[in-house]
Amino acid sequence: MNEKFLKPYNSAEAEERISKLWDESGFFNPDNLPTNTGALDSDGQPRFSKPFSIILPPPNVTGTLHAGHAMMLAVQDIIIRFERMRGKKTLWLPGTDHAAIATQSKVEGIIYKEEGKRRHDLGREELLKRVEQFAQNSHDTIVSQVKAMGSSVDWSREAFTLDEIRNKAVRTAFKQMYDDGIIYRGYRIVNWDVKGQTTISDDEIVYVEQKSKLYTFRYGKTETGEPFPIPIASGRPETKVGDVAVAVHPDDARYKQYIGKEYKVNFAGTQLTIKVVGDEAAQPEFGTGAVGVTPCHSMTDWDIAERHGLRKDLIVINEVGKMTEAAGPMVAGKKIAEARTTIVEWLKSEGLLEKEEDIVQNVTTAERTGGVIEPLPKLQWFVSATKRFTQKFGPNAGKETSLKELMLGAVRANGGEIEIIPDRFEKTYLHWIENLRDWCISRQIWYGHRIPVWYRTDASGKEEVFVGVEAPQNSADGVGAWKQDEDTLDTWFSSGLWTFSTLGWPDAWDPQANGGKGGARPGTDLALYHPTDILETGRDIIFFWVARMILMSTYLIGEIPFKTVYLHGLVLDGAGKKMSKSLGNVIDPLAMKEKYGADAFRLSLIIGTGPGNDSRISDDKIKGYRNFANKLWNIARFILSNTTGESETNKPSAGILIPPAIDYDPAFSAFSDADSKLIEELDALIVEITKEMEEYKFYIVAEKLYHYAWDKLAADILEDSKKIFAAGDAAAIRSRQQFLLRALDRLLRVLHPFIPFVTEEIWSHIPKSKNRTVGLLMISEWPE
């Protein structure tokens, strides 16, 4: 027995040494796995010939990884190590996301705090230089954290959403979508982040509850001198200077007589023309049942205006959150809060305010900057969810469809191939897609993929537009120079391409293959590893990212991006609270690793947490699983000391024979009845957990193995073994020795995906023999 087992398990020393061992082996790269051994995988194919792939959800280069990332890494590493041991050619491809708005806003905040300067003070080139340096530093930290967690990713294939390869993929995708009419430039209402000075998409909005007021009032007198006939209720009376209509439900008996009528009113010093329209968006039970329609400052109202042919040009709030000249002299130039106070006072003075109620209002804010969102109409680039086009690639090539139909049809609950775990999220996904709006993809920031569109004015003064993968060449023909669009693309546009752009698309793609239905070029990663087997990610980004990857993959290459989606929940603190720096309850993965070991931290994130469910993590919980790593170490010490002839517990001076040194013999069959029963129990457990591993029930498997090792093997079997080694005959001793070696062999294998460091460390110190060649545990065979 190696003398290392005479000391307590040292996770810090072992993890550093084992990490180096794994790196030097090269086996994280599937191209280096030993394929010519003659062994077969779990499907009966040559070992390491059948591909299995996961593309790592790229962490944002905005800082360091948190406990949620650690959960993601732990689950994915469990899957990869399990499938590698089963003989699959496993690829786990890593990368990072430039996270445009989040990264730029963070750097801008640092610059303003330290230098008092804003982006326009620095200029585009200088700002981008600073953002890129920040992103690189963050990237380097993230890589070190991923490695520290024991994640067996293939660093030789690392990608970045803003590198040159991904830039070509983005431009290629944009052009194809533009040519198909899916991408268009239009004047529509968008979510405008007043603080970040950019548009954001619907699913980047965070609703913050605030105490507010709901005001019930009338606009004022009409041209006949009568009060406006219908009272309305609003929490934002300052926007009502931009109203063009009042919407009521067509079946609301209170207001049917007014539908179709038009009134001129004076409201807060500005003249409005208000038309009463019947629209089912109006809810009779809410407020007065009548809604003031402000098309330029509400997406719902914009849609109402489109349905009824109302004007959509009365903008009363500008990009910096102040009232415009069109809002009228009473409030023009004022901030929103000040304008609200002014209008409420005017309503009171005119006797138009009928009711004022305290309410809790959901205020829309931007997820990345925390700024308040103002819906504003702007000329932007959009991806249409409903535009009909002819599918170019895949089995449905030549058929007419839309992006919404592709996204709906891909999921199992709607007859598709993608399974979402837990399945309750399939309905959530389908409901979201069914109500999907066109996706605004242009952002008014500098960090990110520039929109691949160029403009110039021709000789007649007409604007020319060029969309391409490469920039157009300027010519000396008297026409102005081409100028690229100033905006950048939504980050999710590039990360939506992630599963196939990381595998070589578009260079690895042949649009003429398969009779014009397209296909990956033979021998490429795209041909071998796509579609990927599973996407493991947080349940909170199913709309941000999962849906967009399905959109991009089914459209651009005609196949699903992954076969299974496994969603994990949020990682909360020990009291069940969401972690935040302000609360001081953030758990740093590296700190936990240094304190308790990576294995302990990984296991604490897995046990007790089913897919889609939030989990609680605390120092006490992690400490408990550090004790488990020590227990496994002690189990190994006992077994090895009693099979190598170096027993510490059975001393010759006490008149007790030391069990003779033996080799582990996998073909040994002369087991006692008791040991045969123990073998049957262990084999049955392995069959059971193997099925559960295939079903992604890792939390169940980890708990079963924990209890087997601690309660069954350590507490019962080893205690019984002491009696056998002290008083048993030679046959009973040899039987028990062979069982213990067999149990240790199997237990290390099945525990390895969960706690890879301590299992690999023990494995590396098991003596070699003629019956057993000890290589790396990470590529040993899973006990089927």
Side-chain angles (χ1 to χ4, degrees), residues 344-360:
V344 170
E345 289 175 352
W346 178 83
L347 288 170
K348 290 178 179 177
S349 68
E350 295 293 319
L352 299 170
L353 185 64
E354 298 184 358
K355 194 191 314 184
E356 181 178 330
E357 305 169 78
D358 290 325
I359 61 169
V360 175

Side-chain angles (χ1 to χ4, degrees), residues 125-141:
E125 185 177 340
E126 178 61 23
L127 178 73
L128 288 180
K129 185 194 300 183
R130 305 229 194 152
V131 174
E132 287 162 4
Q133 184 58 57
F134 175 89
Q136 183 61 49
N137 294 341
S138 179
H139 159 271
D140 295 346
T141 301

Side-chain angles (χ1 to χ4, degrees), residues 82 122 148 158 165-166 180 258 377 379 385 401 410 457 463 507 540 584 658 663 682 715 777-778:
F82 170 64
L122 297 176
E158 183 186 1
I165 297 174
R166 259 46 64 180
D180 276 346
Y258 302 111
L379 184 63
T401 186
T457 304
E463 183 183 64
D507 290 346
D540 54 328
I658 299 174
D663 290 332
L682 180 56
L777 178 57
M778 66 172 284

Side-chain angles (χ1 to χ4, degrees), residues 40 56 98 195 264 302 380 399 407 451 471 499 511 513 518 522 585 612 615 640 644 665 704 727 763:
L40 302 179
L56 176 72
H98 65 288
K195 182 178 180 181
K264 293 187 183 300
W302 181 274
Q380 299 289 306
K399 294 184 179 179
M407 288 190 285
I451 289 178
T499 63
N585 63 347
S615 61
L640 294 177
T644 60
D665 182 4
K704 286 181 177 179
W763 186 268

Side-chain angles (χ1 to χ4, degrees), residues 697-758:
K697 296 176 180 176
F698 310 120
Y699 63 106
I700 294 176
V701 174
E703 189 160 13
K704 286 181 177 179
L705 293 177
Y706 174 91
H707 287 297
Y708 178 84
W710 195 296
D711 300 332
K712 180 69 175 179
L713 183 57
D716 294 340
I717 297 174
L718 297 193
E719 289 303 313
D720 182 56
S721 298
K722 292 177 183 178
K723 298 174 186 176
I724 294 174
F725 293 151
D729 59 26
I733 290 174
R734 189 173 183 195
S735 171
R736 180 51 57 96
Q737 286 178 312
Q738 285 294 337
F739 166 74
L740 290 177
L741 287 170
R742 178 189 179 102
L744 179 62
D745 177 276
R746 278 157 174 68
L747 189 60
L748 291 176
R749 292 175 194 258
V750 294
L751 275 171
H752 179 70
F754 298 91
I755 45 175
F757 286 109
V758 67

Side-chain angles (χ1 to χ4, degrees), residues 11 591-598 600-601 619-620 622-623 626:
S11 62
M592 294 301 102
K593 166 194 158 58
E594 291 169 4
K595 195 172 183 180
Y596 303 112
F601 188 43
D619 269 43
D620 287 343
I622 302 169
K623 188 187 300 181
R626 178 189 62 183

Side-chain angles (χ1 to χ4, degrees), residues 456-598:
R456 72 176 179 182
T457 304
D458 66 17
S460 66
K462 182 180 178 182
E463 183 183 64
E464 288 186 290
V465 177
F466 177 88
V467 178
V469 178
E470 302 293 338
Q473 296 296 314
N474 289 310
S475 58
D477 57 1
V479 178
W482 290 105
K483 184 178 179 182
Q484 189 173 0
D485 198 303
E486 289 290 328
D487 288 352
T488 55
L489 283 165
D490 179 6
T491 301
W492 299 105
F493 191 95
S494 54
S495 56
L497 310 172
W498 195 237
T499 63
F500 52 98
S501 70
T502 53
L503 296 175
W505 187 89
D507 290 346
W509 180 256
D510 181 2
Q512 303 305 318
N514 299 315
K517 293 185 177 182
R521 300 185 189 281
T524 62
D525 280 353
L526 187 63
L528 187 61
Y529 294 110
H530 204 275
T532 61
D533 287 271
I534 186 168
L535 170 74
E536 193 284 335
T537 192
R539 62 172 172 78
D540 54 328
I541 62 170
I542 187 171
F543 311 120
F544 290 99
W545 194 44
V546 176
R548 285 175 171 83
M549 285 196 286
I550 294 173
L551 178 161
M552 291 296 195
S553 186
T554 54
Y555 166 69
L556 288 166
I557 63 176
E559 66 182 27
I560 56 173
F562 26 69
K563 301 164 190 172
T564 303
V565 177
Y566 178 108
L567 300 172
H568 67 252
L570 300 176
V571 180
L572 311 174
D573 70 7
K577 294 180 180 179
K578 191 172 181 178
M579 294 185 194
S580 72
K581 290 181 180 179
S582 60
L583 291 176
N585 63 347
V586 173
I587 287 182
D588 178 3
L590 281 185
M592 294 301 102
K593 166 194 158 58
E594 291 169 4
K595 195 172 183 180
Y596 303 112

Side-chain angles (χ1 to χ4, degrees), residues 610-662:
N613 296 333
D614 295 343
S615 61
R616 297 186 182 189
I617 192 76
S618 64
D619 269 43
D620 287 343
K621 186 178 182 182
I622 302 169
K623 188 187 300 181
Y625 293 115
R626 178 189 62 183
N627 295 341
F628 178 69
N630 292 330
K631 175 63 72 172
L632 189 63
W633 185 257
N634 293 336
I635 289 170
R637 177 171 60 200
F638 178 89
I639 293 174
L640 294 177
S641 68
N642 283 286
T643 55
T644 60
E646 302 174 9
S647 173
E648 291 182 89
T649 56
N650 302 329
K651 301 292 185 184
S653 59
I656 300 173
L657 291 175
I658 299 174
I662 65 164

